[in-house]
Amino acid sequence: MICDSALKSEQLKILEATYAGAVPELKFGSTFELLIAVILSAQCTDRRVNEVTPQLFSEAKTPTAMLELGQSRLEELIRSCGFYRSKARNILGACRKIVDEYDGEVPTTFEELIKLPGVGRKTANVVLSVAFREPAIAVDTHVFRIANRLKLAEGVTPLEVERGLQKVIPREKWSDAHHWLIWHGRKLCKARAPLCGECPLKNCCPYVG
């Protein structure tokens, strides 16, 4: 029987080899655009967000321009992302705070980011990791599912899983590992019908064992 730590190390080694170089699926051209795209991605696919943001960002590339759109026009542009009214309110609220308190620039710390309307731990960690190259593990539905199935980090809340993953993954690989787990969830370890027979982790996965 492989010991728990050795099993987790093997799982991470396979994930890294399989998904080396993985990058976010969301399309963006600036830190601000990344922030808005991640807010829009809540309970929505990245593919759908990528269909919406080209038109949105062609009209509003900055917090000030986004505020000038107003609630109605913003709702119209993001309607297909779902929960468009609350997302529009949060985006405008975040933009107002960025303009008023941060001179129009997206704040660079976790503590500041989570003060923005519509920004929770996941969104803040994505921005820190992708835009500012800070070690962070954002726990979305894919990361949560895979971490629990592999028993890499078991937990009933995203925060429990985040802290568990931080313990087993070297800090310098936190941001990369976030993408390994996301892409594994999208491609193979799907929520309803995981493709276990095709999975490179099938010999070291408790879920199929």
Side-chain angles (χ1 to χ4, degrees):
M1 177 70 70
I2 301 177
C3 71
D4 185 59
S5 61
L7 181 64
K8 291 177 179 180
S9 293
E10 180 65 15
Q11 291 170 342
L12 290 169
K13 180 180 178 181
I14 293 170
L15 285 167
E16 181 172 14
T18 305
Y19 301 105
V23 296
E25 187 174 9
L26 289 173
K27 306 298 183 184
F28 58 93
S30 67
T31 300
F32 174 69
E33 290 184 1
L34 171 64
L35 173 66
I36 300 306
V38 180
I39 292 174
L40 290 174
S41 72
Q43 301 183 66
C44 179
T45 66
D46 287 359
R47 183 175 300 177
R48 171 65 66 183
V49 174
N50 288 338
E51 293 173 355
V52 166
T53 50
Q55 178 64 37
L56 174 62
F57 295 150
S58 73
E59 295 192 27
K61 288 183 175 294
T62 67
T64 298
M66 195 72 71
L67 288 168
E68 290 172 352
L69 284 181
Q71 180 82 17
S72 296
R73 178 55 178 160
L74 182 53
E75 286 182 5
E76 181 182 345
L77 289 168
I78 67 173
R79 183 180 293 269
S80 64
C81 286
F83 302 96
Y84 62 94
R85 290 192 178 92
S86 60
K87 287 180 180 179
R89 278 196 304 273
N90 284 333
I91 288 170
L92 293 175
C95 289
R96 172 54 60 196
K97 196 172 184 70
I98 290 170
V99 169
D100 290 347
E101 300 182 23
Y102 301 104
D103 297 321
E105 299 294 331
V106 176
T108 60
T109 70
F110 180 85
E111 291 74 20
E112 291 171 319
L113 284 165
I114 61 173
K115 292 178 182 178
L116 300 176
V119 176
R121 293 191 67 87
K122 186 203 81 169
T123 299
N125 280 328
V126 170
V127 173
L128 285 176
S129 172
V130 176
F132 302 128
R133 310 299 184 192
E134 293 288 338
I137 300 176
V139 178
D140 67 356
T141 56
H142 296 297
V143 175
F144 186 84
R145 180 175 70 254
I146 305 309
N148 275 289
R149 282 182 176 175
L150 291 176
K151 298 189 184 298
L152 262 177
E154 296 178 271
V156 297
T157 67
L159 180 56
E160 288 177 350
V161 170
E162 180 185 335
R163 288 174 173 168
L165 290 172
Q166 288 174 342
K167 293 177 181 178
V168 299
I169 299 171
R171 181 179 175 84
E172 67 272 13
K173 293 187 178 182
W174 285 359
S175 297
D176 289 337
H178 158 73
H179 295 303
W180 307 338
L181 293 165
I182 285 177
W183 282 104
H184 189 60
R186 286 176 176 160
K187 291 180 174 294
L188 294 172
C189 199
K190 301 173 185 292
R192 295 183 180 178
L195 305 176
C196 297
E198 303 174 27
C199 182
L201 291 157
K202 61 185 176 184
N203 293 324
C204 58
C205 177
Y207 185 74
V208 298

